[in-house]
Each structure stands twice: as C-alpha cells, then as structure tokens.
C-alpha cells in the first residue's frame, strides 16, 4: 500500500518518545515530502542566515511507525524515487566547515535548478545527483538532534544514499520510528563547507522489516557497492569502525580467516569520507557487490 506524509509532519530530533505521524505495515511504500535543511527560511538572496531561526535546522519528516519492527531487527529502506524542487540553497561562512576560519561573515546563495542541472554561476552548472542527508530511526535511549549522525542513522550526509539504493538501519525501538529529510540536489563527499545544494522535495521509499538481522551501524547498498557507515568524533575512529563492521559481515557469512579478509579488503575495498563538518564525522567502507555475492552475503 502507498501512503503519503506531508512536510508539516516533521521532527528536529530522533527519540523513542516522538509520537508517530503515520503507521504503516511491513512492505508498504511511503511518499515523504520534505523541507530543506533550513526549513525553507532562505527563499531569496535577501534572506540571510544571520536572521534565521537556527532551532529549525535539519527537519526530518516523520516519524513513521513500521508495524512489526522490533529491537534487533533491521529496517530495509528502498529509495525508489527522489523529486527535488527547482531552487536550492548553498551556504557557508565564518567558523563553518573546513574553511570557516578563512571567512569573516556568513554566506548563502539561492541557486536555480533547470533541466537537471544546478546553475552555480554564469560559467558553471552541475548535473543533479539527488541524495538524502538525514535519514534514520529512533535510538534506544535519549534524544539525538537531526543534525547529528550515529548508529541510528541521522545526518550521515552520505552521497551513496540516493535514488535506487537500499539502506539498512538497526532497529532499537518498536516500530523503528523512521524519518528522513535534508535533501541535496548535489553534494561532494565531505560536505566541507557545511552544505550541499540544499533543497526541498519528495522521496518515495519502500519499508521492509528484516527479522533478527542485528546491525551495529547503517549499511547502504547501491547497484555497484555495499558500504558500512560509521560516525565518531574522530574521522580515524569512524573509518576503523566502518572497516571492522564490514569485517564482521565477512566473518559471519564466510569461512575466510581475518588475515584473508584483511588482504581482500586492501585489494578491493575503499575507505571513503561522507562528511567532516557535523558534530560527529562520518566515514564508510565500500566493497564491490560481486565480491559479497560470491560469498552469499545478500540481505
């Protein structure tokens, strides 16, 4: 069955105490309308970050209660379609991002999106490659603002999380309490200036509960690769965790020794940086799907 959820139904933090906005069954599809990361407060170049309500940053539409989802299950999210609006916002500024110490003021710019391209300026335009910045479930305890990534997902800002991919999230509470937002028309790995092309839009997802698939952190699968995702205060620790999560998958599904796994990863795996500007930094370790399939590692 197909459900629809409007952008008015949004949260600014993931928590088990959030009241569900909709209840769906295992296997249902949901069309989710989203605000941009600024809650659509920057609509023209006359709108300034200095006057924005910063308590309304990174809204995620939801939460969605998935009937049958229990702790120690996994939620498979199939991203079937992403439609974006025809205007986006880029932003950076003093003390923001990797180059923030080289700036004196806050900066934002509204950009047009025409014929599948972002118009950066008179000389440059970029093909759109829509992806989801914030996507996750409620943590087991406490409250995590939508701007922070973690084992529950959240603001992972991972460019692989786009149309046609599957995301696997650990389930910590009944119903999972799934939500998403913070779409980007296009973004580079690292998001070094704190924003991609921030945009509102609509995402259609399929939600499926995988019973007793216990994950420590999210996993994303594209047509080409499967990547384990991890976040930490240290990018080095995030990398280490993502690699070890992948190693645990191979230990579970294969008879390879840890020495064989390590050499296989060195030959064919890729450490990649998702983002370095959020409260926790996010890395991923990707392996070609054909290698996982050779060992029967198929969710």
């Amino acid at each position: 069955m197909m459900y629809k959820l409007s952008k008015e139904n949004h949260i600014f933090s993931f928590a088990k105490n959030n009241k569900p906005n909709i209840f769906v069954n295992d296997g249902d599809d949901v069309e989710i309308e989203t605000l941009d990361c600024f809650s659509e407060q920057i609509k023209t170049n006359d709108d300034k970050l200095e006057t924005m309500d910063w308590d309304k940053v990174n809204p995620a539409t939801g939460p969605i209660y998935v009937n049958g989802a229990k702790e120690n299950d996994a939620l498979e999210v199939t991203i079937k379609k992403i439609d974006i609006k025809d205007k986006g916002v880029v932003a950076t500024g003093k003390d923001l991002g990797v180059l923030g110490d080289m700036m004196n003021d806050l900066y934002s710019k509204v950009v047009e999106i025409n014929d599948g391209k972002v118009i950066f300026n008179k000389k440059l335009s970029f093909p759109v490659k829509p992806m989801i910045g914030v996507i996750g479930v409620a943590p087991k305890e406490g409250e995590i603002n939508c701007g922070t990534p973690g084992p529950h997902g959240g603001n992972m800002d991972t460019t692989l999380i786009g149309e046609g991919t599957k995301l696997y999230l650990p389930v910590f509470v009944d119903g999972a309490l799934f939500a998403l937002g913070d779409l980007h028309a296009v973004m580079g790995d690292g998001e070094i200036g704190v924003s991609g092309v921030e945009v509102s839009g609509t995402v259609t997802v399929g939600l499926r509960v995988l019973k007793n698939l216990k994950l420590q952190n999210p996993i994303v699968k594209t047509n080409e690769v499967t990547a384990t995702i991890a976040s930490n205060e240290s990018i080095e620790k995030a990398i280490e965790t993502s690699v070890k999560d992948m190693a645990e998958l191979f230990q579970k599904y294969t008879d390879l020794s840890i020495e064989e796994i390590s050499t296989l990863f060195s030959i064919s795996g890729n450490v990649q940086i998702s983002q370095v500007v959020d409260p926790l930094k996010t890395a991923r370790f990707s392996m070609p799907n054909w290698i996982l399939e050779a060992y029967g590692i198929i969710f």
Side-chain angles (χ1 to χ4, degrees):
M1 184 175 290
M2 170 68 82
Y3 292 86
K4 293 186 178 183
L5 190 61
S6 73
K7 62 187 179 183
E8 282 73 26
N9 301 292
H10 59 264
I11 55 176
F12 291 101
S13 62
F14 291 90
K16 66 180 181 180
N17 295 328
N18 285 336
K19 183 179 179 181
N21 282 303
I22 189 172
F23 291 79
V24 304
N25 292 318
D26 179 10
D28 283 340
D29 292 350
V30 188
E31 183 182 281
I32 303 169
E33 184 184 32
T34 69
L35 296 162
D36 69 14
C37 79
F38 301 119
S39 293
E40 299 178 350
Q41 296 180 83
I42 307 297
K43 295 182 178 180
T44 72
N45 289 327
D46 292 327
D47 298 321
K48 301 301 181 182
L49 296 179
E50 289 87 347
T51 60
M52 195 177 70
D53 184 348
W54 287 89
D55 290 332
K56 295 182 178 179
V57 171
N58 281 324
T61 303
I64 297 168
Y65 190 105
V66 184
N67 293 323
K70 300 287 185 182
E71 184 178 1
N72 295 330
D73 294 337
L75 183 67
E76 178 190 81
V77 183
T78 301
I79 302 167
K80 297 187 173 183
K81 190 175 183 182
I82 301 177
D83 292 313
I84 58 173
K85 297 295 181 66
D86 59 3
K87 287 186 179 182
V89 180
V90 294
T92 189
K94 181 176 173 59
D95 298 329
L96 298 177
V98 177
L99 303 178
D101 61 343
M102 300 173 67
M103 303 178 217
N104 296 318
D105 300 298
L106 296 179
Y107 169 87
S108 63
K109 178 183 177 181
V110 175
V111 295
E112 300 289 333
I113 303 171
N114 296 323
D115 297 323
K117 292 185 177 181
V118 174
I119 312 303
F120 186 71
N121 57 31
K122 292 181 179 180
K123 291 186 177 181
L124 293 178
S125 61
F126 298 90
V128 300
K129 190 178 179 182
M131 48 80 65
I132 302 168
V134 174
I135 183 168
V137 296
K140 185 174 182 178
E141 299 292 342
E143 182 176 347
I144 302 176
N145 70 72
C146 289
T148 301
H152 70 295
N155 194 24
M156 295 181 289
D157 280 324
T158 296
T159 55
L160 298 185
I161 304 176
E163 192 170 287
T165 66
K166 293 180 184 290
L167 180 67
Y168 299 88
L169 294 163
V171 174
F172 300 102
V173 301
D174 287 354
L177 298 181
F178 172 76
L180 66 80
D182 183 33
L183 303 186
H184 303 97
V186 65
M187 193 191 86
D189 281 334
E191 199 187 28
I192 66 100
V194 305
S195 82
V197 179
E198 309 294 334
V199 66
S200 302
T202 303
V203 182
T204 301
V205 300
L207 301 174
R208 187 162 72 103
V209 178
L210 303 183
K211 303 303 293 183
N212 300 314
L213 175 61
K214 187 173 182 179
L215 302 177
Q216 300 299 317
N217 292 290
I219 297 174
V220 62
K221 182 178 181 179
T222 72
N223 290 330
E224 293 80 29
V225 301
T226 296
T228 44
I229 303 171
S231 300
N232 194 275
E233 291 180 0
S234 158
I235 193 63
E236 291 83 5
K237 185 63 176 179
I239 291 169
E240 179 183 328
T241 300
S242 68
V243 175
K244 288 185 175 179
D245 282 352
M246 184 68 76
E248 288 181 6
L249 276 180
F250 274 77
Q251 287 179 315
K252 179 178 179 180
Y253 288 99
T254 79
D255 58 0
L256 293 173
S257 69
I258 190 62
E259 292 81 8
E260 290 173 307
I261 291 170
S262 181
T263 54
L264 176 61
F265 286 7
S266 285
I267 293 168
S268 57
N270 288 291
V271 169
Q272 299 164 326
I273 306 301
S274 291
Q275 61 78 26
V276 294
V277 294
D278 293 335
L280 299 180
K281 297 172 175 62
T282 304
R284 60 185 187 268
F285 182 68
S286 68
M287 287 288 291
N289 286 336
W290 66 268
I291 292 178
L292 275 73
E293 291 164 1
Y295 286 101
I297 305 177
I298 303 171
F299 302 119

